[in-house]
Every structure is written in C-alpha cells, then in structure tokens.
Amino acid sequence: MMSRSYTNLLDLAEGNFAALGPSGGGGRRRSGSFGMKRMSRVMTVPGTLSELDGEDDSEPAATNSVASDVPSSVSGERLLVVSNQLPIIARRRPDGRGWSFSWDDDSLLLQLRDGIPDDMEVLFVGGVRTEVPAAEQDEVAQALYDRFRCAAVFLPESLHDRFYHSFCKRTLWPLFHYMLPFTAPASAESFSSESTASSSSSASTKAPTGNGRFDRGAWEAYVLANKFFFEKVVEVINPEDDYVWVHDYHLMALPTFLRRRFNRLRIGFFLHSPFPSSEIYRTLPVREEILKALLNCDLIGFHTFDYARHFLSCCSRMLGIEYQSKRGYIGLEYFGRTVGIKIMPVGVHMVQLQSVLSLPDRQWRVSELQQQFEGKTVLLGVDDMDIFKGINLKLLAFENMLRTHPKWQGRAVLVQIAKPVRGKGKNLEAIEAEIHESYNRINAEFGRSGYSPVILIDKDVSSVEKSAFYTIAECVVVTAVRDGMNLTPYEYIVCRQGIATPESSSEATVPKKSMLVVSEFIGCSPSLSGAIRINPWNVETTAEAMNEAISMSEQEKQLRHEKHYRYVSTHDVAYWSKSFIQDLERACKDHFRRTCWGIGLGFGFRVVALDPHFTKLNMDSIVMAYERSEGRTILLDYDGTLVPQTSINKTPSAEILRIINTLCSDERNIVFIVSGRGRDKLGEWFSSCPKLGIAAEHGYFLRWTRDEEWQTCAQASDFGWMEMAEPVMNLYTEATDGSYIETKESALVWHHQDADSGFGSSQAKEMLDHLESVLANEPVSVKSGQFIVEVKPQGVSKGVIAEKILASMKERGKRADFVLCIGDDRSDEDMFENIADIIKRGMVAPKTPLFACTVGQKPSKAKFYLDDTFEVATMLSTLADATDLEPIAGLADELSESVSSIDIGGEQTQSSDRSFRVL
C-alpha cells in the first residue's frame, strides 16, 4: 500500500496541486519563510472569479483570486525575474562565521536590468548556487532580500537532486538538444555542470553528457520543485502591479501554478535553450502538460524563428492550436487569450565588455600573445567541454585543412580554449579522450620546432585573457552541433573592434576586421549574415570554410566586420530585455478589462478570457422573458448543441423530440433547426415533429413545417462550379491520407480531421488558395473551418437564414418579441452576429430580449453561454414546461374571476372568503 506522502506527490505530478498542502511531499520544510516586513493591501481592481472544476470546497478562496492574500511591501509596477539560480555569488567567510554576497557581473539576469524602465523595480526569485545549511537559510534569505532584493528558494537536497540532475539535466536538456533516451537512466555523475541563463558568455545553459529514459519520479520532483518557486513568488508578489518573467526550461511548470492562483497575472517566459522539432519533442511522455503550462503565459520568447516554429508546430500537432500572424506579431488563440510569441536573440553586455577592454592587464596580455604568434594566423575556439560543442569536429576540420591546403602548415594555429566542467561520466570522458587523441595526432604530424598547430587550453581562463585571445585571432570557429544561443561570436566582434583610448589612438584609425565560421545549429547564426555558416558534421566543408575565412581579402573582412559590429552593438542585452518587456506589456494590455474564468485541473488548468458582457444564460431570466412574449423565434443548431459532437449516434433522443414538439405546439412559437447537415437526413430524424421548421445545409434549403415543400434560399441554380471544384478536391484527397470529400446538394466539403494535423492544415491552406483561384469567377464562397474546407453558393449562411426567418414573421404581421438562438461552432457565429442589431433594423419588436447563446465557455459573438448539450436540453425543457403550464395558468385566471361571485337560488352571493387553488 502506497504511503500518503507518495500518493500526494503522485497527485501533484499529475497536476492535482490542491493535493499538497504546505507540508505535502513527506513533511517538507516550507522554504524561505523568513518573515519579510509587509504592509497590508486592498484589492483595487475588480475581477470575475470562478471556482475550478472539481475543486475541493475546503480549498482557500484565494486560489482563484485575482489578488494575492499575501501583502506586498511595494506599490507600483515591478518586474519579478524568476530563474533556477539567483545572479548572486555566495561565499562562506574565511572564519566560517556567516556569509558574504556579491552580484555576479557575468549573469545575464543581472545584465537585463539595463533595458528595464528606470521606474520599474526589479526583484529576483531563484535558488542559491551554494548549498546553505537548513539552520542558516532564514538568515541568508533575509540578508539577500534586504541587501539585493533577491528572494531565495531553498530546495531540500534530495528534491534538488531529482529535480535538477534527474529531470532537468537527464531528460529535458538532452531532449531539447535532440538526444533521444535510448538507454536506461545513467548516474547523475554522467552529466556536466550547468550554468543557467545567468551566464552572459552563453545565453543557453551548459549541457549534460548523456541521458536516460523518462523517470516518472523525476517528473514528480520537477513539478514539486516548481511549486517551491511558486510559493516564493506568492510571498513577494503584488499581482495587480507586478510582471513576472520566468527564465528557462527548469521552470516550465511554474506558469500553471501562477495562473491558477492569479488569473490576470502578467507572465512572460523565455527559453534559453533550443526547442526541438515536434518529431523529437513528441517522444516526451509529459509533452502536453509542458505545452499547456507554457500556454498559461502571456508571452513566450525564443532566440530564433526555428525554435519558435518548432514550438508552434507542437502546439498544432498535439493540442490542435494554430497560430496567427497579425501586423508582425505571432500569437496563439488559447481559450480567448492571445499568447504572444517573441523571437529575439539575446545580446552581449556592451558596457561590461568594454570595461574589460580598458583594463591595463589586457593590453599587456595582447602584446604578449602578439609576440608569441608573430607571423602566424590564429584561429580561435572558445567552448565548454561538453558533448554538444563539437570541439573534436573542429580539430578534425583543422587537420583536414592543413592536409588539403599545405600552405597553412607552419603558418596557421588553432587555439582551443575548452572550459573544464565539474561533472564526469562515460560520455564526457569519451569526448575528452577523443579531443586529446586528435590534439596529439595533429601536433605530431604537422608540428615542428617552435610550431604547434593546435594549442589546447583546458583550464579556466579569465575574462581579460579571453578578450586578449579574441583580439589577436583572425577568425573564430564555432562548431557546436546544437546550442541555444552561444555569444562567443558576439564577444569576439566587440573585442576585435576595441575601444578608443589615448594609448591606442594610432590604432583607432586602423580599419577593423574579423571573420567567423559558425555552425548553422546555434542560435546566433541567423543574425550573423556575414559569417560563413557550416554543417559541423561535414568535416570537409568546415575545413574549406576555415581556409576561405583566413584567405579572404582584407577589404572583405572589414566589410563583414562592420556589418556584424553594427548589429551586435545595437542589439545588446539591454535592447533584448527592453523589447521583451514592451511586448509583454502589449500582450497584457487588456488583462483587467476582460472577464476571466479559471477552469480545469492540474496541467489542464487554463484561464478563459471573455468579453465582460459574456455571461452564463440565467434560467429565471429567459423563462420570465419567454412567458411575457407573444411572438417567439427559437433557432437551434444540431451537432454540438442538441447532440454532443463526440457522440457516435447522432440521432436525436426521444427527450429532445418531446421537447421540440412541446415548444412547437404553442402557436406563439416558431422553432427551427438550423444545421449544416443535408435536408434528407434532418427530415428523416425529425419526421415526428410536424410543426418544426428546418434550415438545412446552412440555410440553402428551408421548410416551415413538415408538410410544406422545401424552398431554396439562394439565387444560384447552376451548380456547374462543382465540376470545377471536385477535381481539385480529389487531387488533395488522394495526396492527403485520412481526408475525404462530403458531397452535399449545394456544397462540397473537404474534411481532414483524420489526417496528420500538420500536413492536413498545410494542405487545407493550399487547397483554399487553389480553389479561390479556380473559382474566382463563380458565384460561390470558399471558406475554411475546423478541419474542413467548404465551397458553397454565395449568400448562404446561418446568419442570412436567421434574418430571412425573422423578416418572414414580420411580413406575416407577427413580429418576434423573443429571440433565442443557440449554436456551438464557427458557422453559428454568423447567426449571432446578424441578430445583434435586428432591433435597430426594425425586424423585431422594440425592446425584444435577444438570447444569442453559444455552447461552452469560449470566445464568441454571443452574449450568453451554456456549458454543454445537457444544459441546453435542460434549458429547453424548462421552456417546454413553461409552455405546458400556460393553458393551465389561463384557466386559473378565468376561475379566479368566476369564483368571486356565485349565483345560488337566483341570488348573487359574494364569496370573498373562499379561495381556489389550481394545481
């Protein structure tokens, strides 16, 4: 039998966050409860709240609140930057008593403050890189908050190991770098160390050296660790004023926790690693959970369009969500919210680099290196020692260049700086062995006295020394097989440009030049249009690229350098963060105007954002309006409204037929089924409803009662266009497995819901263009819908037929004073839109109550909604019951009048003391 703590953790990993209280997961210690001083706050922004489906009533109401129940010490807009690690260096004092803290100047998180508006305070939330004993955590947390505005998150050691080493490094990181888990899980030591987005030298985190199969327990730890970060954010957040910017793949579950607690919180997320193609990502067992968690953000950022395109493809294939591009912005419509997609590569910190260039030690080191490599052409590589950086591929390419271009023997030198890592393992050891074997072989074959073709520096190098190597190198070579961003080329360009100083005034007039050979698989590659891009796996072409780079004319090198420096100097880290915050503000501008509902459990939780006037249809209100009216029009869609879309048996139930017949029995009612289905099938299903009107094929065919003849409601009588459209549709049907054509009397519909989602959508777009071109001169409209492309006569829609029905009632002298129309899909939106202003157009009586109702809480032009087909049937049954009671109510009125006086024996006697009740 599983323990309670285990089942709680399992619930949490499945997304049932309410399952764990403050001590969930086995009596864990609540992190960072260090008693910050706070002042109380009152919620000033109104919000519409709703409870989660299936939520335990004992859950605190604040779970769904727009405002936090936790006071904040700061008013006004703030930015909370949340990451796995704080931009802080923590060291224990030499005497062992206490800690010393300082900012990490190399941290990207710290540098991004340069792009944040001056009036916006920045507060950091994250873990501390150094392990802090539990007894000292409160003191350390308080010191970090007071001195640095950093809220520290402390994870229990066992949880941190499962979260960080097991899931982040062994599952997510390899997968995001296109490594599939073909083997059983390796030991934690098989992975290299990782520095998160805090490192400015590489905006992506450093990679592990291997991976293993998916571990459900590690996923549970990942979710629980994200919950720790969530709790820390709750302690310091002011949800009405704050923006939250979450960084990197360690915290991809955090947006769901935040959105669940604060429906209108403004959340941004930036991924500093690659995002894999859908074919790779779909192998992750928790693929949908992570996608849905990210979609609880308002803005999701990626370094390159490729990474964003892969994410959008995953959303399309796995969640059925398509993106839209409007005025240069890409967005995903997700339950009424538009989730923005931001494509912006991070840049370098120009001020910090230039400060390094101005150090006196740097110039001395440059002079020393120039003497060492006098007469040589230096190619430089600066990489971490891990499996994705392709260092050995670079050595093999350099070896190939020396062999195929002998003129460089004795003249060209490859300096490879390989930053060592803390972790060790079989994969990393194998890579290191290959690198050293190639290094020794090349130097043995091509080296001579006073000349070593390859210089390998496998130790930590200071920023001053690294900048000196950048300055003397003719070309930088990056052969990473996969990397999120990699800022090495940017740093090289800035160092080659240098800075003007009194000592270097003569050098300032010398034209600057640089050359880059970069892998096409790194994030900075698209922005460096003057670089020579290579496939690092092709050693021969990489060798030729190296030769081309150092053989290029001086003028060409200068032109390429100038182009690169203009870009790098203007698109620095401040530009990146400023651009992201501006887009986040734009994405959130309507947050407090719209009505929000939080629905769903676990990672299925999402916020539905709707027009503030969009409300659930109130039974009492509609019944009251129904009873007061004398001319009623009721328009009902069929699929998804009277019968569920998922139902295999589409035949109407006996209860639905009874309700419809009851409504039709009232002479004051005009009831219509308005459907896209064919007239034969609808006529067969509703043959037992003699007074029911049917508008088939979106209103192309119409009849008012069962005994009347069908009318055609469009002028088109020539269907010759079908002979033109059908061959085109057949072409796409043959090429798209799982698609088929539905032939109606007035329309042709191509269905692709059973085809591959990506290919089907692509084919649908292509077919739409193709048909519009072929049928440009025909009186038809070509429209796309949910998994369909439809060709039908112009002027045929549910909106048009709704107007026709109301106009016919007016012509008959029976203007409607009650209108109810219900539907669930896109075609019904035409109906909702067309009846919105029918009062102004005089088609119905003044002050007519209009009940346009969609099925499901979703963005709609309707003003009301019902949750599902069951609620639709219940509402219609209530109206039917009111219809049944009206004759009895009339009889009761007559009796009440007649019993007021009774004629007995020729005398009229008042009976004021008697009362009659009609049941």
Side-chain angles (χ1 to χ4, degrees):
M1 181 175 179
M2 291 188 295
S3 68
R4 176 61 181 165
S5 62
Y6 181 86
T7 55
N8 279 348
L9 185 57
L10 185 60
D11 285 339
L12 180 67
E14 290 297 329
N16 298 327
F17 305 137
L20 280 182
S23 61
R28 62 175 173 81
R29 175 182 175 275
R30 187 178 179 90
S31 65
S33 54
F34 47 84
M36 298 178 192
K37 296 178 182 179
R38 298 189 179 95
M39 54 190 296
S40 61
R41 186 181 74 251
V42 178
M43 185 176 74
T44 59
V45 180
T48 301
L49 311 179
S50 68
E51 294 189 1
L52 296 177
D53 299 341
E55 191 83 38
D56 189 337
D57 292 338
S58 64
E59 180 86 357
T63 299
N64 300 318
S65 176
V66 176
S68 171
D69 58 342
V70 181
S72 172
S73 60
V74 180
S75 61
E77 288 188 344
R78 300 186 307 172
L79 175 66
L80 272 63
V81 178
V82 189
S83 67
N84 180 46
Q85 294 181 349
L86 292 171
I88 292 291
I89 298 174
R91 297 187 180 91
R92 186 173 287 281
R93 291 173 182 164
D95 58 6
R97 299 178 180 178
W99 296 81
S100 64
F101 306 101
S102 62
W103 288 114
D104 181 2
D105 293 331
D106 291 331
S107 170
L108 173 67
L109 303 175
L110 183 65
Q111 295 167 0
L112 66 78
R113 294 191 304 181
D114 290 0
I116 306 303
D118 294 336
D119 59 348
M120 179 180 281
E121 181 189 6
V122 178
L123 188 148
F124 298 98
V125 179
V128 180
R129 302 178 199 176
T130 305
E131 185 176 343
V132 179
E136 302 177 59
Q137 288 178 2
D138 287 351
E139 180 184 355
V140 168
Q142 189 69 57
L144 288 174
Y145 188 81
D146 291 342
R147 292 172 52 191
F148 298 94
R149 303 299 289 169
C150 291
V153 179
F154 298 105
L155 300 179
E157 184 177 356
S158 59
L159 176 62
H160 179 270
D161 182 69
R162 298 282 283 167
F163 152 70
Y164 180 69
H165 293 288
S166 296
F167 196 75
C168 291
K169 293 177 63 178
R170 198 176 300 156
T171 300
L172 289 180
W173 182 260
L175 184 78
F176 280 18
H177 287 73
Y178 289 74
M179 286 186 66
L180 292 177
F182 293 119
T183 61
S187 63
E189 288 74 19
S190 297
F191 302 92
S192 68
S193 66
E194 178 181 322
S195 61
T196 65
S198 61
S199 173
S200 64
S201 62
S202 175
S204 67
T205 52
K206 306 304 181 287
T209 62
N211 64 328
R213 298 191 188 112
F214 178 78
D215 180 357
R216 178 66 60 175
W219 161 246
E220 294 167 359
Y222 179 84
V223 175
L224 184 56
N226 275 248
K227 192 169 188 285
F228 270 74
F229 282 83
F230 158 73
E231 290 170 349
K232 182 59 61 177
V233 171
V234 169
E235 288 185 13
V236 297
I237 198 169
N238 181 348
E240 292 91 359
D241 300 317
D242 292 349
Y243 291 84
V244 178
W245 189 357
V246 182
H247 286 266
D248 225 358
Y249 65 96
H250 311 85
L251 302 176
M252 290 191 294
L254 179 59
T256 288
F257 285 100
L258 293 172
R259 184 66 68 197
R260 180 176 180 269
R261 181 68 175 269
F262 311 115
N263 289 170
R264 289 188 174 89
L265 186 62
R266 295 169 288 192
I267 308 172
F269 178 89
F270 199 93
L271 183 65
H272 294 273
S273 76
F275 195 92
S277 69
S278 61
E279 292 305 309
I280 298 294
Y281 180 78
R282 70 195 303 180
T283 63
L284 184 64
V286 290
R287 59 193 187 182
E288 293 184 5
E289 288 88 336
I290 289 177
L291 289 179
K292 290 176 180 177
L294 290 177
L295 289 174
N296 276 315
C297 297
D298 297 294
L299 184 67
I300 306 173
F302 300 91
H303 285 306
T304 72
F305 175 69
D306 275 349
Y307 302 162
R309 178 169 55 84
H310 294 159
F311 175 77
L312 294 172
S313 175
C314 290
C315 290
S316 173
R317 287 175 171 268
M318 297 163 207
L319 302 179
I321 303 171
E322 300 293 338
Y323 76 91
Q324 295 179 338
S325 182
K326 185 178 181 181
R327 296 183 179 179
Y329 295 103
I330 300 174
L332 288 161
E333 288 297 325
Y334 189 59
F335 293 94
R337 296 171 48 249
T338 299
V339 180
I341 302 298
K342 177 72 172 176
I343 302 169
M344 176 62 69
V346 72
V348 294
H349 193 271
M350 292 294 295
V351 174
Q352 183 190 25
L353 277 176
Q354 290 171 347
S355 67
V356 172
L357 295 178
S358 64
L359 294 174
D361 290 351
R362 178 252 177 191
Q363 188 57 45
W364 171 82
R365 184 58 177 145
V366 168
S367 300
E368 188 178 54
L369 290 175
Q370 287 173 337
Q371 292 179 5
Q372 178 181 349
F373 297 107
E374 185 177 4
K376 304 291 190 299
T377 298
V378 177
L379 295 92
L380 177 66
V382 179
D383 304 281
D384 296 308
M385 181 69 79
D386 72 42
I387 62 175
F388 293 114
K389 293 301 185 285
I391 296 176
N392 195 49
L393 295 174
K394 187 186 307 178
L395 296 179
L396 296 176
F398 183 70
E399 180 183 27
N400 185 282
M401 186 193 78
L402 294 179
R403 187 171 289 119
T404 55
H405 299 279
K407 65 179 181 179
W408 294 114
Q409 295 179 18
R411 295 171 53 198
V413 176
L414 173 63
V415 178
Q416 176 61 56
I417 298 174
K419 180 182 176 181
V421 294
R422 294 190 301 271
K424 293 294 181 182
K426 292 182 179 179
N427 291 335
L428 186 57
E429 290 172 357
I431 289 293
E432 289 179 336
E434 286 183 11
I435 291 172
H436 282 91
E437 193 276 331
S438 298
Y439 162 73
N440 293 326
R441 184 184 65 251
I442 296 170
N443 283 342
E445 181 177 351
F446 299 103
R448 63 189 68 162
S449 177
Y451 170 67
S452 297
V454 177
I455 296 177
L456 181 62
I457 304 174
D458 53 356
K459 62 179 182 180
D460 286 322
V461 175
S462 67
S463 57
V464 170
E465 178 132 353
K466 189 165 61 172
S467 70
F469 274 108
Y470 282 143
T471 303
I472 61 100
E474 282 292 311
C475 175
V476 156
V477 183
V478 181
T479 55
V481 295
R482 191 69 61 179
D483 209 350
M485 185 60 192
N486 198 314
L487 294 178
T488 294
Y490 288 10
E491 294 175 349
Y492 166 65
I493 291 164
V494 175
C495 291
R496 289 290 284 183
Q497 181 69 18
I499 57 173
T501 62
E503 293 78 10
S504 61
S505 57
S506 59
E507 296 180 8
T509 59
V510 178
K512 308 298 181 181
K513 58 184 181 179
S514 63
M515 276 307 300
L516 290 167
V517 175
V518 299
S519 165
E520 63 189 52
F521 302 120
I522 63 176
C524 68
S525 175
S527 60
L528 298 171
S529 56
I532 302 176
R533 299 190 182 98
I534 49 95
N535 174 3
W537 298 102
N538 191 330
V539 172
E540 291 77 14
T541 58
T542 304
E544 290 303 317
M546 289 181 179
N547 175 63
E548 180 185 354
I550 57 181
S551 302
M552 196 172 289
S553 68
E554 299 299 302
Q555 184 180 8
E556 182 69 17
K557 292 178 182 179
Q558 293 168 16
L559 292 173
R560 295 187 182 220
H561 171 80
E562 290 171 1
K563 183 177 184 179
H564 287 157
Y565 184 73
R566 279 196 302 271
Y567 176 84
V568 172
S569 60
T570 55
H571 291 72
D572 59 356
V573 66
Y575 177 88
W576 169 75
S577 60
K578 179 181 179 180
S579 178
F580 188 91
I581 292 300
Q582 287 176 342
D583 277 11
L584 181 58
E585 290 175 342
R586 181 187 57 81
C588 301
K589 68 181 187 307
D590 292 332
H591 265 35
F592 294 98
R593 184 187 66 82
R594 310 189 75 179
T595 302
C596 297
W597 280 270
I599 62 173
L601 289 174
F603 286 102
F605 177 84
R606 66 272 187 197
V607 166
V608 179
L610 302 165
D611 187 274
H613 302 296
F614 186 78
T615 59
K616 190 165 186 176
L617 187 60
N618 183 276
M619 295 292 182
D620 293 336
S621 298
I622 192 171
V623 170
M624 185 180 299
Y626 180 86
E627 291 176 340
R628 290 177 177 175
S629 56
E630 296 297 326
R632 306 159 184 151
T633 302
I634 301 173
L635 308 176
L636 306 172
D637 175 42
Y638 186 69
D639 292 281
T641 301
L642 297 181
V643 295
Q645 287 281 14
T646 56
S647 176
I648 298 176
N649 181 12
K650 298 294 185 179
T651 306
S653 66
E655 176 64 11
I656 290 293
L657 294 174
R658 182 197 67 80
I659 292 171
I660 289 177
N661 274 325
T662 302
L663 292 172
C664 292
S665 66
D666 192 326
E667 296 296 330
R668 292 171 290 181
N669 292 348
I670 297 295
V671 183
F672 265 86
I673 298 294
V674 184
S675 173
R677 286 188 174 271
R679 58 177 174 174
D680 292 339
K681 184 60 70 176
L682 291 173
E684 175 189 340
W685 285 345
F686 292 99
S687 59
S688 61
C689 303
K691 295 184 179 182
L692 174 67
I694 297 177
E697 297 191 16
H698 298 301
Y700 183 82
F701 294 109
L702 177 73
R703 77 178 187 193
W704 287 79
T705 65
R706 182 186 63 187
D707 299 329
E708 293 188 20
E709 295 295 325
W710 288 97
Q711 308 171 23
T712 56
C713 299
Q715 297 179 354
S717 58
D718 180 13
F719 290 92
W721 56 265
M722 284 192 173
E723 297 179 0
M724 302 169 62
E726 193 166 16
V728 176
M729 288 186 161
N730 282 328
L731 178 68
Y732 287 88
T733 302
E734 292 173 4
T736 311
D737 187 36
S739 65
Y740 66 93
I741 300 172
E742 178 187 3
T743 303
K744 300 180 180 180
E745 292 183 67
S746 66
L748 290 174
V749 186
W750 187 71
H751 297 264
H752 62 90
Q753 66 264 31
D754 295 328
D756 176 87
S757 59
F759 185 55
S761 298
S762 174
Q763 291 288 78
K765 292 176 184 177
E766 184 69 24
M767 178 192 287
L768 189 70
D769 293 338
H770 196 161
L771 288 172
E772 286 178 342
S773 175
V774 170
L775 303 173
N777 299 321
E778 299 297 323
V780 296
S781 65
V782 184
K783 291 187 177 181
S784 62
Q786 189 171 12
F787 301 116
I788 66 165
V789 174
E790 184 173 22
V791 186
K792 60 184 179 182
Q794 288 178 348
V796 175
S797 73
K798 290 185 178 182
V800 172
I801 201 61
E803 287 188 18
K804 184 177 179 64
I805 293 169
L806 292 169
S808 296
M809 291 180 64
K810 180 182 178 182
E811 291 172 3
R812 297 178 183 185
K814 192 179 179 181
R815 268 201 311 183
D817 60 359
F818 173 93
V819 178
L820 168 65
C821 58
I822 311 176
D824 76 306
D825 63 17
R826 297 180 186 177
S827 63
D828 300 303
E829 296 297 315
D830 293 335
M831 185 164 55
F832 302 148
E833 185 176 22
N834 281 29
I835 72 165
D837 61 346
I838 56 177
I839 296 178
K840 294 181 181 178
R841 289 185 282 163
M843 299 180 65
V844 295
K847 299 183 180 180
T848 295
L850 305 177
F851 296 94
C853 180
T854 189
V855 181
Q857 296 183 39
K858 59 178 181 287
S860 174
K861 295 172 184 175
K863 297 297 183 182
F864 302 96
Y865 74 90
L866 292 171
D867 287 329
D868 49 34
T869 57
F870 177 78
E871 286 198 354
V872 172
T874 302
M875 184 272 297
L876 292 175
S877 180
T878 303
L879 296 185
D881 291 343
T883 300
D884 284 337
L885 288 173
E886 283 179 350
I888 300 176
L891 176 61
D893 292 338
E894 293 177 8
L895 286 174
S896 64
E897 294 176 4
S898 63
V899 300
S900 62
S901 62
I902 303 176
D903 190 357
I904 303 176
E907 295 182 2
Q908 190 171 26
T909 305
Q910 298 296 326
S911 302
S912 58
D913 60 335
R914 300 183 65 184
S915 62
F916 295 82
R917 175 172 296 181
V918 180
L919 299 177

